[in-house]
Amino acid sequence: MKINICAIGRIKSSPEVDMVNDYVDRFERIGKNIGLGPIKIIEKESKKSGVLSEGKVLLASIPNNSIICILDEKGANLDSLAFAKKIEHWRDNLNLELSLVIGGAGGLSKEIKNKAHHSISFGKMVWPHRLIRVMITEQLYRAASIISGTPYHKA
């Protein structure tokens, strides 16, 4: 199952980019053996015209054959095991890609929220978009580790 991370804003050279790349590399080493990956990061420019225009740009970046899962503070609070089970279920039962969608500073448009199949949260706090990318790539790596039975996740 291919995984897309569709996000508003480009992250240039930074510690966050280094962390994202590290977790993507780790994920792909495990993922290829269990039918997950590769991860494709799709970055779109932030639009000064706001959330509606960013929403159209994000929607256009999502492959047609995707499960759309938005990252939103009002989404479901999953622990790592539940997230891994969801990934495993999607991989085993649907012949689709997974697109994880991260909005810009103004959040996600109503249109994306309405088209989303799932919504997950990293808590009620609002997180910087750079950190969300680190957090979601780490959770993808953790999910792959859980699914494959490697010892990274110690719960």
Coordinates of all heavy atoms in Angstrom, one line a residue, residues 48-147:
K48 N -1.9 32.6 -0.1 CA -2.3 33.8 0.7 C -3.9 34.0 0.6 O -4.4 34.6 1.5 CB -1.6 35.0 0.2 CG -0.1 35.0 0.5 CD 0.5 36.3 0.0 CE 1.9 36.5 0.3 NZ 2.9 35.6 0.4
S49 N -4.5 33.3 -0.3 CA -5.9 33.5 -0.5 C -6.7 32.6 0.5 O -7.9 32.7 0.5 CB -6.4 33.2 -1.9 OG -5.8 32.0 -2.4
G50 N -6.0 31.8 1.3 CA -6.7 31.1 2.4 C -7.0 29.7 2.2 O -6.5 29.0 1.3
V51 N -7.8 29.2 3.2 CA -8.0 27.8 3.4 C -8.8 27.2 2.2 O -8.5 26.1 1.8 CB -8.9 27.5 4.7 CG1 -9.3 26.1 4.8 CG2 -8.0 27.9 5.9
L52 N -9.7 27.9 1.6 CA -10.5 27.4 0.5 C -9.6 27.1 -0.7 O -9.6 26.0 -1.3 CB -11.6 28.3 0.0 CG -12.8 28.4 1.0 CD1 -13.8 29.5 0.5 CD2 -13.5 27.1 1.1
S53 N -8.7 28.0 -1.0 CA -7.8 27.8 -2.2 C -6.8 26.7 -1.8 O -6.4 25.9 -2.7 CB -7.2 29.1 -2.6 OG -5.8 29.2 -2.5
E54 N -6.3 26.7 -0.6 CA -5.4 25.6 -0.2 C -6.1 24.3 -0.3 O -5.5 23.3 -0.7 CB -4.9 25.8 1.2 CG -3.9 27.0 1.3 CD -3.3 27.2 2.7 OE1 -3.9 26.6 3.7 OE2 -2.4 28.0 2.9
G55 N -7.3 24.2 0.1 CA -8.1 23.0 0.0 C -8.2 22.4 -1.4 O -8.0 21.2 -1.6
K56 N -8.4 23.3 -2.4 CA -8.5 22.9 -3.8 C -7.1 22.3 -4.2 O -7.0 21.3 -4.9 CB -8.9 24.0 -4.6 CG -10.3 24.4 -4.5 CD -10.8 25.5 -5.3 CE -12.2 25.7 -5.0 NZ -12.9 26.8 -5.5
V57 N -6.0 23.0 -3.8 CA -4.7 22.5 -4.2 C -4.4 21.2 -3.5 O -3.9 20.3 -4.2 CB -3.6 23.6 -3.7 CG1 -2.2 23.0 -3.8 CG2 -3.8 24.8 -4.6
L58 N -4.8 21.0 -2.2 CA -4.6 19.7 -1.6 C -5.4 18.6 -2.2 O -4.9 17.5 -2.5 CB -4.9 19.8 -0.1 CG -3.9 20.3 0.9 CD1 -4.4 20.5 2.3 CD2 -2.7 19.4 0.9
L59 N -6.7 18.9 -2.5 CA -7.5 17.9 -3.1 C -7.0 17.4 -4.4 O -7.0 16.2 -4.8 CB -8.9 18.4 -3.3 CG -9.8 18.3 -2.0 CD1 -11.2 19.0 -2.3 CD2 -10.0 16.9 -1.6
A60 N -6.4 18.4 -5.2 CA -5.9 18.0 -6.5 C -4.6 17.2 -6.4 O -4.2 16.4 -7.3 CB -5.6 19.3 -7.3
S61 N -4.0 17.2 -5.2 CA -2.7 16.5 -5.0 C -2.9 15.0 -4.6 O -2.0 14.2 -4.5 CB -1.8 17.2 -4.0 OG -2.3 17.1 -2.7
I62 N -4.2 14.7 -4.1 CA -4.5 13.4 -3.6 C -4.8 12.5 -4.8 O -5.7 12.7 -5.5 CB -5.7 13.5 -2.6 CG1 -5.3 14.4 -1.4 CG2 -6.1 12.1 -2.1 CD1 -6.5 14.8 -0.6
P63 N -4.1 11.4 -4.9 CA -4.4 10.4 -5.9 C -5.9 9.9 -5.8 O -6.4 9.8 -4.7 CB -3.4 9.3 -5.7 CG -2.3 9.9 -5.0 CD -2.9 11.0 -4.1
N64 N -6.5 9.7 -7.0 CA -7.9 9.3 -7.0 C -8.2 8.0 -6.2 O -9.2 7.8 -5.6 CB -8.4 9.1 -8.4 CG -8.5 10.4 -9.1 OD1 -8.7 11.5 -8.5 ND2 -8.3 10.4 -10.5
N65 N -7.3 7.1 -6.2 CA -7.5 5.8 -5.6 C -7.0 5.8 -4.1 O -6.3 4.9 -3.7 CB -6.8 4.7 -6.4 CG -5.3 4.9 -6.5 OD1 -4.8 6.0 -6.4 ND2 -4.6 3.8 -6.8
S66 N -7.4 6.8 -3.4 CA -6.8 6.9 -2.0 C -7.9 6.9 -0.9 O -9.0 7.4 -1.1 CB -6.1 8.3 -1.9 OG -4.9 8.3 -2.5
I67 N -7.5 6.3 0.2 CA -8.2 6.5 1.4 C -7.7 7.9 1.9 O -6.5 8.1 2.0 CB -7.8 5.4 2.5 CG1 -8.1 4.1 1.9 CG2 -8.5 5.7 3.8 CD1 -7.3 3.0 2.6
I68 N -8.6 8.8 2.2 CA -8.2 10.1 2.6 C -8.3 10.2 4.1 O -9.4 10.0 4.7 CB -9.1 11.2 2.0 CG1 -8.9 11.2 0.5 CG2 -8.7 12.6 2.5 CD1 -9.9 12.1 -0.3
C69 N -7.2 10.4 4.8 CA -7.2 10.5 6.3 C -6.6 11.8 6.6 O -5.4 12.1 6.3 CB -6.4 9.4 6.9 SG -6.3 9.4 8.7
I70 N -7.4 12.7 7.2 CA -6.9 14.0 7.6 C -6.4 14.0 9.0 O -6.8 13.2 9.8 CB -8.0 15.1 7.4 CG1 -9.2 14.8 8.3 CG2 -8.5 15.3 6.0 CD1 -10.3 15.9 8.4
L71 N -5.4 14.9 9.2 CA -4.8 15.1 10.5 C -5.5 16.4 11.0 O -5.2 17.5 10.5 CB -3.3 15.2 10.4 CG -2.7 13.9 9.8 CD1 -1.2 14.1 9.8 CD2 -3.0 12.7 10.6
D72 N -6.3 16.2 12.1 CA -7.1 17.3 12.6 C -7.3 17.2 14.1 O -7.5 16.1 14.6 CB -8.4 17.3 11.8 CG -9.3 18.5 12.2 OD1 -9.1 19.6 11.7 OD2 -10.2 18.3 13.0
E73 N -7.2 18.3 14.8 CA -7.3 18.2 16.3 C -8.6 17.7 16.7 O -8.8 17.2 17.9 CB -6.9 19.6 16.9 CG -8.0 20.6 16.7 CD -7.7 21.6 15.6 OE1 -6.8 21.2 14.7 OE2 -8.3 22.6 15.5
K74 N -9.6 17.7 15.9 CA -10.9 17.2 16.2 C -11.1 15.7 15.8 O -12.2 15.1 16.0 CB -12.0 18.0 15.6 CG -12.1 19.4 16.2 CD -13.1 20.3 15.5 CE -13.0 21.7 16.1 NZ -13.5 22.7 15.2
G75 N -10.1 15.1 15.3 CA -10.1 13.7 14.8 C -10.1 12.7 16.0 O -10.0 13.1 17.2
A76 N -10.1 11.5 15.6 CA -10.0 10.4 16.6 C -8.6 10.4 17.3 O -7.6 10.5 16.6 CB -10.3 9.1 16.0
N77 N -8.6 10.2 18.6 CA -7.4 10.0 19.3 C -7.1 8.5 19.4 O -7.7 7.8 20.1 CB -7.5 10.5 20.7 CG -7.3 12.0 20.8 OD1 -6.4 12.6 20.2 ND2 -8.2 12.7 21.5
L78 N -6.1 8.1 18.5 CA -5.7 6.7 18.5 C -4.4 6.5 19.2 O -3.5 7.3 19.1 CB -5.6 6.2 17.0 CG -6.7 6.4 16.1 CD1 -6.3 6.0 14.7 CD2 -7.9 5.6 16.6
D79 N -4.3 5.4 19.9 CA -3.0 5.0 20.4 C -2.2 4.3 19.2 O -2.8 4.1 18.2 CB -3.0 4.2 21.7 CG -3.7 2.8 21.5 OD1 -3.8 2.3 20.3 OD2 -4.1 2.2 22.5
S80 N -0.9 4.1 19.4 CA -0.1 3.5 18.4 C -0.6 2.2 17.9 O -0.5 1.9 16.7 CB 1.4 3.5 18.8 OG 1.8 4.8 19.0
L81 N -1.0 1.3 18.8 CA -1.5 0.0 18.4 C -2.8 0.1 17.5 O -2.9 -0.6 16.5 CB -1.8 -0.8 19.6 CG -0.6 -1.3 20.4 CD1 -1.0 -1.9 21.7 CD2 0.3 -2.2 19.6
A82 N -3.7 1.0 17.9 CA -4.9 1.2 17.1 C -4.6 1.8 15.7 O -5.2 1.3 14.7 CB -5.9 2.1 17.8
F83 N -3.6 2.7 15.7 CA -3.2 3.2 14.4 C -2.6 2.1 13.5 O -2.9 2.0 12.3 CB -2.2 4.4 14.6 CG -1.8 5.0 13.3 CD1 -2.7 5.7 12.5 CD2 -0.5 5.0 12.9 CE1 -2.3 6.3 11.3 CE2 -0.1 5.7 11.8 CZ -1.0 6.3 10.9
A84 N -1.8 1.3 14.1 CA -1.2 0.1 13.4 C -2.2 -0.8 12.9 O -2.2 -1.3 11.7 CB -0.2 -0.6 14.2
K85 N -3.2 -1.1 13.7 CA -4.3 -2.0 13.2 C -5.1 -1.4 12.1 O -5.5 -2.1 11.2 CB -5.3 -2.3 14.4 CG -4.7 -3.3 15.4 CD -5.7 -3.6 16.5 CE -5.1 -4.4 17.6 NZ -4.9 -5.8 17.3
K86 N -5.3 -0.1 12.1 CA -6.0 0.6 11.0 C -5.2 0.5 9.7 O -5.7 0.2 8.7 CB -6.2 2.1 11.4 CG -7.5 2.7 10.8 CD -7.7 4.0 11.4 CE -9.0 4.2 12.2 NZ -10.2 3.5 11.7
I87 N -3.9 0.8 9.8 CA -3.0 0.7 8.6 C -3.1 -0.8 8.1 O -3.2 -1.0 6.9 CB -1.6 1.0 9.0 CG1 -1.5 2.5 9.5 CG2 -0.6 0.7 7.9 CD1 -1.5 3.5 8.4
E88 N -3.0 -1.7 9.0 CA -3.0 -3.1 8.6 C -4.3 -3.5 7.9 O -4.3 -4.2 6.9 CB -2.8 -4.0 9.8 CG -2.5 -5.5 9.5 CD -2.0 -6.2 10.8 OE1 -2.5 -5.9 11.9 OE2 -1.3 -7.1 10.6
H89 N -5.4 -3.0 8.5 CA -6.8 -3.3 7.9 C -6.9 -2.7 6.5 O -7.3 -3.3 5.6 CB -7.8 -2.7 8.8 CG -9.2 -2.7 8.2 ND1 -10.0 -3.9 8.1 CD2 -9.9 -1.7 7.6 CE1 -11.1 -3.6 7.5 NE2 -11.1 -2.3 7.1
W90 N -6.4 -1.4 6.3 CA -6.5 -0.8 5.0 C -5.6 -1.5 4.0 O -6.0 -1.8 2.9 CB -6.0 0.7 5.1 CG -7.0 1.6 5.9 CD1 -8.3 1.4 6.0 CD2 -6.7 2.8 6.6 NE1 -8.9 2.4 6.8 CE2 -7.9 3.3 7.1 CE3 -5.5 3.5 6.8 CZ2 -7.9 4.4 7.9 CZ3 -5.5 4.6 7.5 CH2 -6.7 5.1 8.1
R91 N -4.4 -2.0 4.5 CA -3.5 -2.7 3.6 C -4.2 -4.0 3.1 O -4.1 -4.4 2.0 CB -2.2 -3.0 4.3 CG -1.2 -3.8 3.4 CD -0.2 -4.4 4.3 NE -0.8 -5.5 5.1 CZ -0.1 -6.1 6.1 NH1 1.1 -5.8 6.4 NH2 -0.7 -7.0 6.9
D92 N -4.8 -4.7 4.1 CA -5.3 -6.1 3.8 C -6.6 -6.1 3.1 O -7.0 -7.1 2.5 CB -5.4 -6.9 5.1 CG -4.0 -7.1 5.7 OD1 -3.0 -6.9 5.1 OD2 -4.0 -7.5 6.9
N93 N -7.4 -5.1 3.3 CA -8.8 -5.1 2.9 C -9.2 -4.2 1.7 O -10.3 -4.3 1.2 CB -9.8 -4.9 4.1 CG -9.6 -6.1 5.1 OD1 -9.9 -7.2 4.8 ND2 -9.1 -5.7 6.2
L94 N -8.4 -3.2 1.5 CA -8.7 -2.3 0.4 C -7.5 -2.2 -0.6 O -6.4 -2.3 -0.2 CB -8.9 -0.9 1.0 CG -10.0 -0.8 2.1 CD1 -10.0 0.6 2.8 CD2 -11.3 -1.1 1.5
N95 N -7.8 -2.1 -1.8 CA -6.8 -2.0 -2.8 C -6.6 -0.5 -3.2 O -6.8 -0.1 -4.3 CB -7.2 -2.8 -4.1 CG -6.1 -2.9 -5.1 OD1 -4.9 -2.8 -4.7 ND2 -6.4 -3.2 -6.3
L96 N -6.2 0.3 -2.2 CA -6.1 1.7 -2.4 C -4.8 2.2 -1.8 O -4.2 1.5 -1.0 CB -7.3 2.4 -1.6 CG -8.7 2.0 -2.1 CD1 -9.7 2.7 -1.1 CD2 -8.9 2.5 -3.5
E97 N -4.5 3.4 -2.1 CA -3.4 4.1 -1.5 C -3.9 4.8 -0.2 O -5.1 5.0 -0.1 CB -2.8 5.2 -2.4 CG -2.1 4.6 -3.6 CD -1.5 5.7 -4.5 OE1 -1.2 6.8 -4.0 OE2 -1.3 5.4 -5.7
L98 N -3.0 5.2 0.7 CA -3.4 6.0 1.8 C -2.8 7.4 1.7 O -1.6 7.5 1.4 CB -2.9 5.4 3.1 CG -3.0 6.2 4.4 CD1 -4.5 6.5 4.7 CD2 -2.4 5.5 5.6
S99 N -3.7 8.4 1.8 CA -3.2 9.8 1.7 C -3.5 10.4 3.0 O -4.7 10.6 3.4 CB -3.9 10.6 0.6 OG -3.4 10.1 -0.7
L100 N -2.5 10.8 3.7 CA -2.6 11.5 5.0 C -2.4 13.0 4.7 O -1.5 13.4 4.1 CB -1.5 11.1 6.0 CG -1.5 9.6 6.3 CD1 -0.2 9.0 6.8 CD2 -2.6 9.4 7.4
V101 N -3.4 13.8 5.1 CA -3.5 15.2 4.7 C -3.3 16.1 5.8 O -4.0 16.0 6.9 CB -4.9 15.5 4.0 CG1 -4.9 16.9 3.5 CG2 -5.1 14.5 2.8
I102 N -2.3 17.1 5.6 CA -2.0 18.1 6.6 C -2.3 19.5 6.0 O -1.7 19.8 5.0 CB -0.5 18.0 7.0 CG1 -0.2 16.6 7.5 CG2 -0.2 19.1 8.1 CD1 1.3 16.4 7.7
G103 N -3.2 20.2 6.7 CA -3.5 21.5 6.2 C -2.5 22.6 6.5 O -1.5 22.3 7.2
G104 N -2.8 23.8 6.1 CA -1.9 24.9 6.4 C -2.2 25.6 7.7 O -3.0 25.0 8.5
A105 N -1.7 26.8 7.9 CA -1.9 27.5 9.2 C -3.4 27.7 9.5 O -3.8 27.7 10.7 CB -1.2 28.8 9.2
G106 N -4.2 27.8 8.5 CA -5.7 28.0 8.8 C -6.4 26.7 8.9 O -7.7 26.7 9.0
G107 N -5.8 25.6 8.9 CA -6.4 24.3 9.0 C -6.8 23.8 7.6 O -6.3 24.1 6.6
L108 N -7.8 22.9 7.7 CA -8.3 22.2 6.4 C -9.6 22.8 6.0 O -10.5 23.2 6.8 CB -8.5 20.7 6.7 CG -7.2 20.0 6.9 CD1 -7.4 18.6 7.6 CD2 -6.4 19.8 5.6
S109 N -9.9 22.8 4.7 CA -11.1 23.3 4.2 C -12.3 22.3 4.5 O -12.0 21.1 4.7 CB -11.0 23.5 2.7 OG -11.0 22.3 2.0
K110 N -13.5 22.9 4.5 CA -14.6 22.1 4.7 C -14.8 21.0 3.7 O -15.2 19.9 3.9 CB -15.9 23.0 4.7 CG -17.1 22.3 5.3 CD -18.2 23.4 5.4 CE -19.0 23.0 6.6 NZ -20.1 24.0 6.9
E111 N -14.4 21.3 2.4 CA -14.5 20.4 1.3 C -13.6 19.1 1.6 O -14.0 18.0 1.4 CB -14.0 21.1 0.0 CG -14.3 20.2 -1.2 CD -13.9 20.9 -2.5 OE1 -13.3 22.0 -2.4 OE2 -14.2 20.4 -3.5
I112 N -12.4 19.4 2.1 CA -11.5 18.2 2.4 C -12.1 17.4 3.5 O -12.1 16.2 3.5 CB -10.1 18.7 2.7 CG1 -9.4 19.2 1.4 CG2 -9.2 17.5 3.3 CD1 -8.0 19.7 1.6
K113 N -12.5 18.1 4.6 CA -13.1 17.4 5.7 C -14.3 16.6 5.3 O -14.4 15.5 5.8 CB -13.5 18.4 6.8 CG -12.3 19.1 7.5 CD -12.8 20.1 8.6 CE -11.5 20.7 9.3 NZ -11.9 21.6 10.4
N114 N -15.1 17.1 4.4 CA -16.3 16.3 3.9 C -15.9 15.1 3.1 O -16.5 14.1 3.1 CB -17.2 17.2 3.1 CG -17.9 18.2 4.0 OD1 -18.0 18.0 5.2 ND2 -18.4 19.3 3.4
K115 N -14.7 15.2 2.3 CA -14.3 14.1 1.5 C -13.5 13.1 2.2 O -13.2 12.0 1.7 CB -13.5 14.6 0.3 CG -14.4 15.3 -0.7 CD -13.7 15.6 -2.0 CE -14.7 16.3 -2.9 NZ -14.6 16.0 -4.2
A116 N -13.0 13.4 3.4 CA -12.1 12.5 4.2 C -12.9 11.3 4.6 O -14.1 11.3 5.0 CB -11.6 13.2 5.4
H117 N -12.2 10.1 4.6 CA -12.8 8.9 5.1 C -12.5 8.7 6.6 O -13.3 8.1 7.3 CB -12.2 7.7 4.3 CG -12.4 7.8 2.8 ND1 -11.4 8.2 2.0 CD2 -13.5 7.5 2.1 CE1 -11.8 8.1 0.7 NE2 -13.1 7.8 0.8
H118 N -11.4 9.3 7.0 CA -11.0 9.2 8.4 C -10.4 10.5 8.8 O -9.8 11.2 8.0 CB -10.1 8.0 8.6 CG -10.6 6.7 8.2 ND1 -11.5 6.0 9.0 CD2 -10.5 6.0 7.1 CE1 -11.9 4.9 8.4 NE2 -11.3 4.9 7.2
S119 N -10.4 10.7 10.1 CA -9.8 11.9 10.7 C -9.1 11.5 12.0 O -9.7 10.8 12.9 CB -10.8 13.0 11.0 OG -10.2 14.1 11.7
I120 N -7.8 11.8 12.1 CA -7.1 11.4 13.4 C -6.4 12.6 13.9 O -6.2 13.6 13.2 CB -6.0 10.3 13.1 CG1 -5.0 10.7 12.1 CG2 -6.7 9.0 12.8 CD1 -3.9 9.7 12.0
S121 N -6.2 12.6 15.2 CA -5.6 13.7 16.0 C -4.4 13.3 16.8 O -4.3 12.1 17.2 CB -6.7 14.2 16.9 OG -6.2 15.2 17.8
F122 N -3.5 14.2 17.0 CA -2.4 14.0 17.9 C -2.7 14.8 19.2 O -1.8 15.3 19.9 CB -1.1 14.5 17.3 CG -0.5 13.6 16.2 CD1 -0.4 14.0 14.9 CD2 -0.2 12.3 16.5 CE1 0.1 13.1 13.9 CE2 0.3 11.4 15.6 CZ 0.4 11.8 14.3
G123 N -3.9 14.9 19.5 CA -4.4 15.5 20.8 C -5.1 16.8 20.5 O -5.2 17.2 19.3
K124 N -5.6 17.4 21.5 CA -6.4 18.6 21.4 C -5.6 19.9 21.1 O -6.1 20.9 20.7 CB -7.3 18.8 22.6 CG -8.3 17.8 22.8 CD -9.2 18.0 23.9 CE -10.3 16.9 24.0 NZ -11.3 17.2 24.9
M125 N -4.3 19.8 21.4 CA -3.4 20.9 21.1 C -3.2 21.0 19.6 O -3.2 20.1 18.9 CB -2.1 20.7 21.8 CG -2.1 20.8 23.3 SD -0.4 20.6 23.9 CE -0.8 20.6 25.7
V126 N -2.9 22.3 19.2 CA -2.5 22.5 17.8 C -1.0 22.4 17.7 O -0.3 23.0 18.5 CB -3.1 23.9 17.3 CG1 -2.6 24.2 15.9 CG2 -4.6 23.9 17.4
W127 N -0.5 21.7 16.8 CA 0.9 21.5 16.6 C 1.4 22.2 15.4 O 0.7 22.3 14.4 CB 1.2 20.0 16.5 CG 0.9 19.2 17.7 CD1 -0.3 18.6 18.0 CD2 1.7 19.0 18.8 NE1 -0.2 18.0 19.2 CE2 1.0 18.2 19.8 CE3 3.0 19.4 19.2 CZ2 1.6 17.8 21.0 CZ3 3.6 19.0 20.4 CH2 2.8 18.2 21.3
P128 N 2.7 22.6 15.4 CA 3.3 23.2 14.2 C 3.3 22.2 13.1 O 3.6 21.0 13.3 CB 4.7 23.6 14.6 CG 4.7 23.6 16.1 CD 3.6 22.7 16.6
H129 N 3.1 22.6 11.9 CA 3.0 21.7 10.7 C 4.3 20.9 10.5 O 4.3 19.8 10.1 CB 2.6 22.4 9.5 CG 1.3 23.0 9.7 ND1 1.1 24.3 10.1 CD2 0.0 22.5 9.5 CE1 -0.2 24.6 10.2 NE2 -0.9 23.5 9.9
R130 N 5.4 21.5 10.8 CA 6.7 20.8 10.7 C 6.8 19.6 11.6 O 7.2 18.5 11.3 CB 7.9 21.7 11.0 CG 8.2 22.7 10.0 CD 9.3 23.6 10.4 NE 9.8 24.4 9.4 CZ 10.9 25.1 9.4 NH1 11.8 24.9 10.4 NH2 11.3 25.8 8.4
L131 N 6.3 19.8 12.9 CA 6.3 18.8 13.9 C 5.3 17.7 13.5 O 5.6 16.5 13.8 CB 6.1 19.3 15.3 CG 7.2 20.1 15.9 CD1 6.9 20.6 17.3 CD2 8.5 19.3 15.9
I132 N 4.2 18.0 13.0 CA 3.2 17.0 12.6 C 3.8 16.1 11.6 O 3.6 14.9 11.6 CB 1.9 17.7 12.0 CG1 1.1 18.3 13.2 CG2 1.0 16.7 11.3 CD1 0.6 17.4 14.2
R133 N 4.6 16.6 10.6 CA 5.2 15.7 9.6 C 6.2 14.7 10.3 O 6.2 13.6 10.0 CB 5.9 16.5 8.6 CG 4.9 17.3 7.7 CD 5.6 17.8 6.5 NE 4.9 19.0 6.1 CZ 5.2 19.7 5.0 NH1 6.2 19.3 4.3 NH2 4.5 20.8 4.7
V134 N 6.9 15.2 11.3 CA 7.8 14.3 12.0 C 7.0 13.3 12.8 O 7.3 12.1 12.7 CB 8.7 15.1 13.0 CG1 9.5 14.2 13.9 CG2 9.6 16.1 12.3
M135 N 5.9 13.8 13.4 CA 5.1 12.9 14.3 C 4.4 11.8 13.4 O 4.4 10.6 13.8 CB 4.1 13.7 15.1 CG 4.8 14.5 16.1 SD 3.7 15.9 16.7 CE 2.5 15.0 17.6
I136 N 3.9 12.2 12.2 CA 3.2 11.2 11.4 C 4.1 10.2 10.8 O 3.8 9.0 10.7 CB 2.2 11.8 10.4 CG1 1.2 10.7 9.8 CG2 3.0 12.5 9.2 CD1 0.3 10.1 10.8
T137 N 5.3 10.6 10.4 CA 6.3 9.7 9.8 C 6.8 8.7 10.9 O 7.0 7.5 10.7 CB 7.4 10.4 9.1 OG1 8.1 11.3 10.0 CG2 7.0 11.0 7.8
E138 N 7.0 9.3 12.1 CA 7.4 8.4 13.2 C 6.3 7.3 13.5 O 6.6 6.2 13.7 CB 7.7 9.2 14.5 CG 8.4 8.4 15.6 CD 7.4 7.5 16.5 OE1 6.2 7.8 16.5 OE2 7.9 6.6 17.1
Q139 N 5.0 7.8 13.5 CA 3.9 6.8 13.8 C 3.8 5.8 12.7 O 3.4 4.7 12.9 CB 2.6 7.6 14.1 CG 2.5 8.2 15.4 CD 2.7 7.2 16.5 OE1 1.9 6.3 16.6 NE2 3.7 7.4 17.4
L140 N 4.1 6.2 11.5 CA 4.0 5.2 10.4 C 5.1 4.2 10.6 O 4.9 3.0 10.4 CB 4.2 5.9 9.0 CG 3.0 6.7 8.5 CD1 3.4 7.6 7.4 CD2 1.9 5.8 8.1
Y141 N 6.3 4.6 10.9 CA 7.4 3.7 11.2 C 7.1 2.8 12.4 O 7.2 1.6 12.4 CB 8.7 4.5 11.5 CG 9.8 3.6 12.1 CD1 10.3 2.5 11.4 CD2 10.4 3.9 13.3 CE1 11.3 1.7 11.9 CE2 11.4 3.1 13.8 CZ 11.8 2.0 13.1 OH 12.8 1.2 13.7
R142 N 6.5 3.4 13.4 CA 6.0 2.6 14.6 C 5.0 1.6 14.2 O 5.0 0.4 14.6 CB 5.5 3.5 15.7 CG 5.2 2.8 17.0 CD 4.8 3.8 18.1 NE 5.9 4.7 18.4 CZ 6.8 4.5 19.3 NH1 6.8 3.3 20.0 NH2 7.8 5.4 19.6
A143 N 4.0 2.0 13.4 CA 3.0 1.1 12.9 C 3.6 -0.1 12.1 O 3.2 -1.3 12.3 CB 2.0 1.8 12.1
A144 N 4.5 0.2 11.2 CA 5.2 -0.9 10.5 C 5.9 -1.8 11.4 O 5.9 -3.0 11.2 CB 6.1 -0.2 9.4
S145 N 6.6 -1.2 12.4 CA 7.3 -2.0 13.4 C 6.3 -3.0 14.2 O 6.6 -4.1 14.4 CB 8.0 -1.2 14.4 OG 9.0 -0.4 13.7
I146 N 5.2 -2.4 14.6 CA 4.2 -3.2 15.3 C 3.7 -4.3 14.4 O 3.6 -5.5 14.8 CB 3.0 -2.3 15.8 CG1 3.5 -1.4 16.9 CG2 1.8 -3.2 16.2 CD1 2.6 -0.3 17.3
I147 N 3.3 -4.0 13.1 CA 2.8 -5.0 12.2 C 3.8 -6.1 11.9 O 3.4 -7.3 11.9 CB 2.3 -4.3 10.9 CG1 1.1 -3.4 11.2 CG2 2.0 -5.3 9.8 CD1 0.8 -2.4 10.0

